[in-house]
Amino acid sequence: MARDMSDKDILKMEIEQMQKEVKITREPVSKTAKELCEYVEAQSAEDPLVKGVPEDKNPFKEKGGCTIT
């Protein structure tokens, strides 16, 4: 796409993007990281990757062994 555009068009797109980005409200990482940790800890009780999947509901459990006679 950029190959079909002139340098002026590319610069115009970059300026428009920067104008959008400057309006974004920024949050400090220290605050958002703390909120993210709290959310993960609150959700961990229901997370199957943390607590595991019950055998009867595990779609990937072995159905049975293969017997070769």
Side-chain angles (χ1 to χ4, degrees):
M1 180 176 158
R3 293 181 198 173
D4 300 335
M5 301 173 71
S6 68
D7 290 342
K8 183 178 177 182
D9 292 334
I10 293 172
L11 290 172
K12 185 177 179 183
M13 273 183 39
E14 289 177 359
I15 290 171
E16 289 172 356
Q17 181 63 31
M18 288 180 191
Q19 288 173 339
K20 290 177 187 176
E21 290 178 14
V22 82
K23 294 176 185 176
I24 295 174
T25 306
R26 309 241 182 228
E27 296 287 335
V29 173
S30 58
K31 178 183 176 196
T32 55
K34 180 181 175 192
E35 291 172 354
L36 181 61
C37 287
E38 291 171 354
Y39 174 80
V40 168
E41 289 173 2
Q43 300 298 318
S44 67
E46 300 171 13
D47 190 338
L49 296 175
V50 175
K51 72 174 192 169
V53 179
E55 281 296 318
D56 58 331
K57 296 186 181 192
N58 184 355
F60 301 105
K61 73 177 182 177
E62 301 250 348
K63 304 281 188 238
C66 176
T67 57
I68 299 176
T69 58

